[in-house]
C-alpha cells in the first residue's frame, strides 16, 4: 500500500467509525483508534487548498489534456482532462460541467481548485472540467436553464442530459486509465447541470452529487414565489448575460454601480424598467425575456427540472446550505423528487449551516456573527462526500449511513435521519394581541395589527452597505428591522425547554389592504438571551456580549401577493377584504434553546433584495410606472375566524399545543 493509499484508508476509517446519526463537535466527538498504525497516521495531508499548492500539485502529479468532444448534433464542447501520472492502476472519472469557464486554458496551465475538495487530489481520480454548450470555449448556443426534452426524435434534439451522455460516452472510450465509472458533481449552476445530466443516465454514470442545484428559477435565485430578487438578478445578468458572439477565454466585466450603497442605487432607479433604459440598453437577452414573462407561464414552466427527474443515476447525494441565500429550494425539491420518482436509487440529502457553496469554499465554522462550534465543511468532506464517491466509483468502504444528514443550526450538532422530513408533530404559533406569539388559539371575534407600507421608504433587508446580496443576511441580527414601524413583531416569553423545529415551515396570514397588490415577508427568528456585563473596557465602561439579545434570522421568505393562489394567473386584492396568504418558508433544522425566545416578523417591503411592489395591481409589474407606486395600509388579522399563524414541525413532546 502506497503512502497516499494509507492516508486515504485512515481518512475512510475515521469517517466510518464516527457515527453520522449524531456527529458531535470536536471537543466531545468519539475517538477512533487508528487501524493503520502510527506510520500511516503520519502520511502527508493533501494540499491545503491555496492556489499555489493545488496548481503545483496538479502539475507534478497529473497530465493535462484539452479536447473538443463531439455531441450528437455535431457541436463540440471544450473539455479539460487531468489524469494521474501514476499509471499502475485505473481511476474513476469525476466530471464537472460548467457555464463559468474551465479555465485556465492551455495544457501547461493548472487551476487553483479541482474536484469537489482538496482531499480528492490524493485519493486517485481523473478530473474532467467542461465548458457547457455555448459557454466560453465550447461551440453552440447557450440557453439558460436549458429546457429538458422529454421526447427526442433525432440527433438535433439535444439538452443537458444528451450532452452529458455524449460526454461520458466519449470519455470512457477515449481516456486512458479510467475504470469505466463516472461521477458527476457541481455547485449552483453546475449543480443544475449535474441534476440535468443524471436524467436518462449513461450506464457508466455511477454517482451524482448536485450541490446547491437550481431546480426552477421561479423559486430559486431570481424569483421567490413570484417576488423578484433584484440585486441578485441584475448584478448577475448584467455581466453573465452579455452576448458571446464567438468562443472566448475571457469573463465579462462586472457591472459598476458607481457606489457601494445598493439600497440607494436601486431606490434612485425608480420603476424597474429604468434599469433597461439607463444601464442594460436591451443588450441582455434573458433580462428582456424575464421582463416579458412576469408570471409563471410556459417560458418558466419548461425550465422546471423537477418533472423530468426520472431514470437517474444509481447513487445520488444532494447537498445544500440551510443558509443559502441563492439556491435553497433546489436541493430540497430535487432530493424529494428523486426519492419519489426513483424507488431503489441510493438517494441522500446533506444540509449544513452554510451559505451558497460554503461546504466547498469556507470552513463552515460560522456565518456572519453566528459561530457553529466546528469546521463543518471539513467534517462533511471527510465523513460524507469522499466516502460517497469512494464507495460508488471504486467499491471502497461503505456509503454514508442514514437518509438525511442535517446540521442543527441552534444546537450546533449534526443529526442523521432515516427520512426527511422526519416524523414530527405540529405546533401552531399564533400572532396575538400585544405582539405576543403563542400556541393559544385566538378566541376574540375581531383583532388586527396594521402598518403603513410606503414604497418610497422600503424596509432594508440588511444593515450592511452593499451593492449585492451578502450571504450573511441569512443569519443577520434583525433588531434593525424590529424597530421599524412598518414591521410587525410577535414574540414568545423565554422558552421553558428546548424546542426543535425539523422540516418545512409555513405561515398562514390573513391580511387585508387598502391597495390592490402587496408582498408579504415572514421571518422566523431565534432571540438570544439578554446580554450580561463581560468586564470593563476603556474609561471603565462595561462591555457587553454582542450576541446578547441578538435576533438571529433562522429562515425568511416572501410571497408576491398577486400570486397567492396561482403563479400563472395573478389576481389583485380587493381593498379591505380579508384574504388568506400562505408563505412557505421551506425546511429548517433548528433547536430554539431553553431561555431563548421565538420571534416572527411580518413586513411588506424587503429592499433592495426584493424589488418594490407598487401596491397597485398592474398587468405586468415589471412595467409599472412611477404613478403606480402608492402608500397602502396593510392589516394582519388575528381573530378566531382569521387567525394568522406559523405552523412548525416539532420533534418530541414539545409538539403538543
Amino acid at each position: 500500500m502506497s503512502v497516499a493509499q494509507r492516508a486515504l484508508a485512515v481518512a475512510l476509517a475515521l469517517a466510518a467509525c464516527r457515527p453520522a446519526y449524531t456527529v458531535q463537535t470536536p471537543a466531545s466527538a468519539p475517538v477512533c483508534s487508528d487501524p493503520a498504525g502510527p506510520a500511516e497516521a503520519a502520511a502527508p495531508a493533501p494540499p491545503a487548498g491555496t492556489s499555489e499548492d493545488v496548481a503545483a500539485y496538479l502539475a507534478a502529479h497529473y497530465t493535462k489534456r484539452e479536447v473538443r468532444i463531439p455531441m450528437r448534433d455535431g457541436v463540440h464542447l471544450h473539455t479539460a482532462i487531468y489524469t494521474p501520472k501514476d499509471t499502475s492502476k485505473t481511476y474513476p472519472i469525476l466530471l464537472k460541467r460548467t457555464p463559468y469557464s474551465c479555465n485556465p486554458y492551455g495544457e501547461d496551465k493548472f487551476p487553483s481548485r479541482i474536484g469537489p475538495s482538496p482531499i480528492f487530489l490524493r485519493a486517485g481520480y481523473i478530473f474532467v472540467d467542461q465548458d457547457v454548450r455555448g459557454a466560453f470555449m465550447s461551440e453552440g448556443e447557450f440557453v439558460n436553464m436549458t429546457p429538458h426534452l422529454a421526447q427526442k426524435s433525432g440527433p438535433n434534439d439535444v439538452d443537458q442530459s444528451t450532452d452529458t451522455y455524449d460526454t461520458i460516452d466519449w470519455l470512457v472510450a477515449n481516456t486512458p486509465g479510467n475504470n469505466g465509472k463516472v461521477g458527476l458533481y457541481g455547485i449552483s449552476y453546475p449543480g443544475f447541470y449535474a441534476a440535468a445530466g443524471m436524467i436518462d443516465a449513461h450506464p457508466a454514470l455511477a454517482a451524482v452529487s448536485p450541490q446547491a442545484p437550481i431546480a426552477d428559477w421561479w423559486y430559486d435565485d431570481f424569483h421567490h414565489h413570484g417576488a423578484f430578487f433584484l440585486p441578485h438578478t441584475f448584478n448577475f445578468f448584467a455581466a453573465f448575460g452579455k452576448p458571446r458572439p464567438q468562443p472566448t477565454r475571457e469573463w465579462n466585466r462586472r457591472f459598476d454601480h458607481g457606489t457601494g450603497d445598493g439600497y440607494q442605487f436601486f431606490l434612485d432607479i425608480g420603476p424597474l424598467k429604468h434599469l433597461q433604459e439607463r444601464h442594460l440598453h436591451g443588450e441582455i437577452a434573458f433580462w428582456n425575456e424575464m421582463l416579458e414573462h412576469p408570471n409563471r407561464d410556459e417560458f418558466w414552466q419548461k425550465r422546471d427540472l423537477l418533472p423530468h427527474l426520472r431514470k437517474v443515476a444509481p447513487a445520488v447525494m444532494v447537498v445544500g446550505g440551510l443558509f443559502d441565500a441563492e439556491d435553497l429550494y433546489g436541493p430540497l425539491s430535487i432530493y424529494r423528487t428523486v426519492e419519489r420518482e426513483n424507488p431503489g436509487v441510493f438517494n441522500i440529502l446533506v444540509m449544513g449551516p452554510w451559505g451558497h457553496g460554503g461546504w466547498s469554499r469556507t470552513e463552515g465554522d460560522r456565518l456572519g456573527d453566528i459561530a457553529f462550534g466546528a469546521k463543518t465543511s471539513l467534517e462533511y468532506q471527510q465523513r460524507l462526500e469522499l466516502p460517497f464517491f469512494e464507495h460508488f466509483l471504486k467499491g471502497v468502504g461503505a456509503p454514508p449511513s442514514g437518509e438525511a444528514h442535517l446540521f442543527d443550526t441552534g444546537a450546533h450538532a449534526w443529526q442523521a435521519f432515516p427520512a426527511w422530513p422526519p416524523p414530527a408533530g405540529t405546533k401552531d404559533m399564533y400572532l396575538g394581541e400585544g405582539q405576543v406569539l403563542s400556541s393559544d388559539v385566538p378566541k376574540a371575534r375581531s383583532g388586527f395589527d396594521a402598518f403603513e407600507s410606503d414604497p418610497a421608504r422600503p424596509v432594508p433587508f440588511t444593515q450592511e452597505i452593499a451593492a449585492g446580496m451578502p450571504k450573511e443576511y441569512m443569519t443577520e441580527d434583525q433588531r434593525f428591522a424590529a424597530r421599524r414601524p412598518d414591521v410587525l413583531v410577535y414574540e414568545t416569553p423565554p422558552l421553558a425547554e428546548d424546542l426543535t423545529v425539523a422540516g418545512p415551515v409555513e405561515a398562514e396570514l390573513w391580511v387585508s389592504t387598502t391597495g390592490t397588490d402587496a408582498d408579504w415577508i415572514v421571518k422566523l427568528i431565534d432571540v438570544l438571551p439578554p446580554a450580561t456585563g463581560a468586564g470593563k473596557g476603556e474609561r471603565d465602561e462595561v462591555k457587553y456580549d454582542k450576541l446578547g439579545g441578538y435576533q438571529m434570522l433562522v429562515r425568511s421568505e416572501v410571497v408576491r401577493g398577486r400570486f397567492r393562489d396561482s403563479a400563472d394567473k395573478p389576481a389583485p386584492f380587493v381593498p379591505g377584504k380579508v384574504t388568506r396568504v400562505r408563505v412557505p418558508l421551506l425546511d429548517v433544522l433548528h433547536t430554539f434553546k431553553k431561555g431563548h425566545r421565538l420571534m416572527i416578523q411580518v413586513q411588506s417591503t424587503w429592499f433592495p433584495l426584493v424589488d418594490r411592489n407598487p401596491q397597485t395591481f398592474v398587468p405586468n409589474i415589471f412595467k409599472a410606472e412611477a404613478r403606480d407606486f402608492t402608500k397602502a395600509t396593510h392589516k394582519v388579522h388575528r381573530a378566531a375566524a382569521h387567525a394568522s399563524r406559523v405552523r412548525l414541525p416539532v420533534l418530541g413532546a414539545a409538539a403538543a399545543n
Side-chain angles (χ1 to χ4, degrees):
M1 179 182 288
S2 68
V3 171
Q5 287 173 317
R6 288 196 297 269
L8 177 60
V10 172
L12 291 174
L14 287 169
C17 79
R18 292 185 178 120
Y21 279 89
T22 301
V23 180
Q24 304 172 42
T25 57
S28 58
V31 177
C32 180
S33 60
D34 178 10
E40 287 77 6
T50 65
S51 299
E52 296 76 15
D53 286 340
V54 172
Y57 188 89
L58 281 168
H61 297 89
Y62 287 78
T63 299
K64 181 180 180 182
R65 183 164 61 120
E66 294 186 335
V67 299
R68 297 168 69 248
I69 298 180
M71 302 294 102
R72 63 191 64 186
D73 64 343
V75 167
H76 291 76
L77 304 187
H78 178 90
T79 309
I81 304 171
Y82 301 84
T83 305
K85 291 181 179 180
D86 179 2
T87 59
S88 64
K89 55 185 175 181
T90 59
Y91 305 91
I93 295 169
L94 266 180
L95 170 64
K96 181 180 76 174
R97 307 184 65 245
T98 179
Y100 298 143
S101 170
C102 60
N103 66 310
Y105 297 97
E107 294 187 342
D108 60 339
K109 302 291 194 301
F110 293 86
S112 60
R113 297 180 61 88
I114 197 76
S117 78
I119 64 176
F120 280 77
L121 278 173
R122 291 179 185 250
Y125 288 87
I126 298 170
F127 299 106
V128 178
D129 290 350
Q130 182 180 75
D131 290 334
V132 297
R133 180 181 293 256
F136 288 89
M137 290 300 292
S138 285
E139 297 175 351
E141 177 187 2
F142 181 79
V143 178
N144 273 297
M145 289 291 288
T146 314
H148 180 81
L149 301 177
Q151 302 294 328
K152 300 176 176 70
S153 58
N156 291 323
D157 289 341
V158 295
D159 54 25
Q160 296 307 329
S161 70
T162 64
D163 280 359
T164 305
Y165 191 103
D166 295 348
T167 297
I168 293 173
D169 206 54
W170 190 95
L171 288 170
V172 172
N174 295 278
T175 305
N178 81 84
N179 71 354
K181 291 188 176 182
V182 177
L184 181 64
Y185 73 99
I187 298 173
S188 192
Y189 219 149
F192 159 77
Y193 292 109
M198 69 181 178
I199 301 170
D200 299 325
H202 190 285
L205 185 59
V208 181
S209 184
Q211 303 184 3
I214 308 163
D216 181 343
W217 264 348
W218 192 255
Y219 301 104
D220 279 313
D221 276 310
F222 306 132
H223 295 87
H224 286 222
H225 304 282
F228 190 58
F229 269 43
L230 176 55
H232 182 48
T233 310
F234 175 79
N235 295 350
F236 179 77
F237 280 110
F240 181 81
K242 290 180 179 178
R244 184 208 69 157
Q246 59 186 6
T248 180
R249 299 183 177 191
E250 302 298 324
W251 271 89
N252 295 320
R253 293 183 62 183
R254 292 185 176 184
F255 179 80
D256 182 3
H257 299 77
T259 176
D261 189 345
Y263 184 100
Q264 197 63 49
F265 172 83
F266 288 107
L267 191 64
D268 290 345
I269 286 295
L272 190 70
K273 65 176 187 173
H274 291 168
L275 283 170
Q276 181 78 284
E277 299 165 0
R278 300 176 189 176
H279 297 294
L280 300 181
H281 311 297
E283 297 176 352
I284 310 300
F286 198 77
W287 179 272
N288 302 339
E289 290 178 303
M290 282 192 294
L291 268 57
E292 293 300 323
H293 297 276
N295 309 328
R296 194 175 184 272
D297 57 14
E298 184 183 6
F299 176 81
W300 296 109
Q301 292 169 15
K302 70 182 183 181
R303 286 173 166 77
D304 181 359
L305 189 65
L306 300 178
H308 308 290
L309 289 172
R310 300 184 179 92
K311 299 179 182 178
V312 303
V316 180
M317 181 174 69
V318 184
V319 181
L322 288 164
F323 298 121
D324 190 337
E326 299 175 40
D327 298 303
L328 180 60
Y329 172 88
L332 292 166
S333 301
I334 287 175
Y335 161 75
R336 287 193 175 105
T337 304
V338 170
E339 190 73 7
R340 182 180 67 249
E341 300 295 335
N342 300 268
V345 164
F346 180 92
N347 178 45
I348 64 173
L349 175 69
V350 181
M351 299 290 288
W354 305 306
H356 192 60
W359 51 95
S360 173
R361 301 162 185 164
T362 73
E363 292 185 336
D365 58 333
R366 68 183 309 114
L367 184 61
D369 294 321
I370 303 300
F372 301 114
K375 295 182 177 180
T376 62
S377 297
L378 186 60
E379 292 177 343
Y380 152 74
Q381 292 164 11
Q382 292 178 338
R383 299 175 181 176
L384 296 170
E385 188 175 45
L386 181 62
F388 171 77
F389 283 113
E390 287 286 303
H391 176 78
F392 288 106
L393 298 183
K394 298 179 181 178
V396 174
S401 61
E403 175 79 11
H405 302 257
L406 285 86
F407 189 86
D408 187 322
T409 54
H412 298 173
W414 284 101
Q415 299 289 337
F417 301 90
W420 187 264
T426 299
K427 191 175 188 69
D428 288 337
M429 302 299 292
Y430 293 92
L431 313 187
E433 184 178 3
Q435 298 186 321
V436 171
L437 184 66
S438 170
S439 59
D440 295 335
V441 179
K443 297 179 180 179
R445 291 187 176 183
S446 63
F448 59 82
D449 295 305
F451 63 95
E452 183 180 76
S453 177
D454 184 358
R457 297 190 68 253
V459 180
F461 80 99
T462 178
Q463 299 177 89
E464 184 174 339
I465 302 300
M469 182 179 67
K471 62 183 181 297
E472 292 83 5
Y473 97 84
M474 295 288 284
T475 61
E476 190 174 5
D477 189 351
Q478 297 301 301
R479 281 179 284 196
F480 76 96
R483 292 163 179 161
R484 295 254 321 195
D486 45 1
V487 176
L488 300 180
V489 178
Y490 303 89
E491 186 179 29
T492 67
L495 297 176
E497 59 183 9
D498 289 357
L499 178 71
T500 299
V501 180
V505 176
E506 182 177 80
E508 181 183 63
L509 303 181
W510 289 92
V511 304
S512 60
T513 176
T514 58
T516 52
D517 200 0
D519 293 343
W520 298 97
I521 296 104
V522 177
K523 302 175 188 172
L524 176 66
I525 295 166
D526 185 347
V527 183
L528 279 59
T532 57
K536 295 183 178 181
E538 296 179 2
R539 301 180 182 178
D540 293 330
E541 292 180 358
V542 177
K543 289 188 175 181
Y544 291 91
D545 180 4
K546 179 180 180 180
L547 296 182
Y550 192 98
Q551 296 177 7
M552 174 190 170
L553 189 61
V554 174
R555 181 56 49 75
S556 53
E557 194 52 275
V558 56
V559 166
R560 180 138 284 173
R562 61 175 49 212
F563 300 117
R564 62 193 179 277
D565 296 322
S566 171
D568 61 331
K569 296 178 181 178
F573 287 92
V574 177
K577 181 180 179 180
V578 180
T579 306
R580 182 170 61 178
V581 177
R582 292 190 179 95
V583 184
L585 277 75
L586 298 177
D587 302 40
V588 303
L589 177 61
H590 187 89
T591 295
F592 294 83
K593 303 293 287 184
K594 178 181 177 181
H596 290 216
R597 298 171 184 257
L598 183 66
M599 176 183 285
I600 297 295
Q601 292 182 6
V602 180
Q603 60 199 67
S604 283
T605 52
W606 210 18
F607 193 74
L609 185 68
V610 173
D611 71 316
R612 295 177 303 146
N613 190 317
Q615 303 187 147
T616 301
F617 186 89
V618 294
N620 185 338
I621 201 167
F622 296 139
K623 298 182 178 181
E625 302 285 352
R627 64 177 177 272
D628 298 320
F629 289 78
T630 60
K631 296 180 183 179
T633 298
H634 301 324
K635 296 179 180 179
V636 174
H637 294 262
R638 45 179 170 73
H642 301 115
S644 296
R645 63 183 177 180
V646 176
R647 175 156 287 182
L648 305 176
V650 176
L651 298 181
N657 279 325

